[in-house]
Amino acid sequence: MPNPGQPTVGPGATGTVVRRVQRALRRTPDLGLVVDGIFGPETEAAVVDVQKGAGLAPDGIVGPLTWDALPEGGPMPALQLGSGGPVVSSLQRVLTNGAPGQWTAPSPIDGAFGPLTRDSVESFHVWGGVAADGIVGDQTWSVSLHAASATLETQVGLEFVIG
C-alpha cells in the first residue's frame, strides 16, 4: 500500500496532500501535470484517467480506492548545498550522463552536494525551464528529460522517495 492513511481529496482542495496526489499522478506517468498543491481541472482530469484505467468510478475524487490505484506519492528529498549520500551520487551520475551540450556536469561524482553540483543543478534548471535556485525540490524532480516517460526523479531513482 503506497499511500496509507491519506484523506479523501477532490477539486478545490489545496496543500500537502494534493501535492502527494500530483506526485503520484506524475509517476503514472503524466509528465505534463504540475505539482503545485492545487487540485484544479488538470489534476481532476488526471485522477479521472487513473480511475478509468483502474476500473473505478471516474468521479475525480481521490478516496481510498483511488489512493490504492496510485503509485507512491511521497516526495523525493530536497537537495541543496551540504546534502550528501547515495541520492546525491545518483543525481550527479544522471546530471553527468546527460550534460554534454545540455547543461554543465557536476564532477566529481562523490555524493557531496557542493558548489560544482549546485552550478550543474542551476544549469539543469535553465535547461528544464524551472526557477534556477540551485535546490533540487519538487519542480526540479519533475523536469522531463525528453526520454520515454523519464523525469529527473525516475532516473535518479524512486527508491529515494520519502514515505
Side-chain angles (χ1 to χ4, degrees):
M1 179 177 264
N3 299 291
Q6 297 301 313
T8 297
V9 292
T14 59
T16 304
V17 70
V18 175
R19 285 175 144 339
R20 186 178 192 95
V21 168
Q22 291 169 329
R23 281 190 298 268
L25 289 166
R26 282 191 65 89
R27 294 171 184 156
T28 60
D30 185 343
L31 298 181
L33 190 67
V34 175
V35 177
D36 62 4
I38 301 167
F39 201 125
E42 291 173 3
T43 300
E44 183 178 8
V47 168
V48 167
D49 287 346
V50 165
Q51 290 170 327
K52 287 178 181 176
L56 301 173
D59 61 5
I61 296 169
V62 183
L65 295 176
T66 303
W67 277 117
D68 287 348
L70 288 168
E72 169 65 58
M76 291 286 283
L79 304 176
Q80 58 191 341
L81 275 176
S83 297
V87 67
V88 174
S89 294
S90 188
L91 170 70
Q92 291 168 328
R93 264 190 295 286
V94 170
L95 290 175
T96 297
N97 292 338
Q102 305 296 318
W103 54 82
T104 59
S107 25
I109 298 172
D110 60 3
F113 197 120
L116 293 175
T117 300
R118 183 198 58 222
D119 292 347
S120 179
V121 167
E122 287 176 353
S123 177
F124 178 78
H125 285 151
V126 171
W127 177 85
V130 298
D133 60 6
I135 298 171
V136 181
D138 269 341
Q139 283 189 14
T140 309
W141 287 123
S142 61
V143 168
S144 171
L145 297 177
H146 307 299
S149 303
T151 60
L152 183 62
E153 72 178 8
T154 61
Q155 292 304 293
V156 167
L158 291 175
E159 69 267 21
F160 298 110
V161 167
I162 302 167

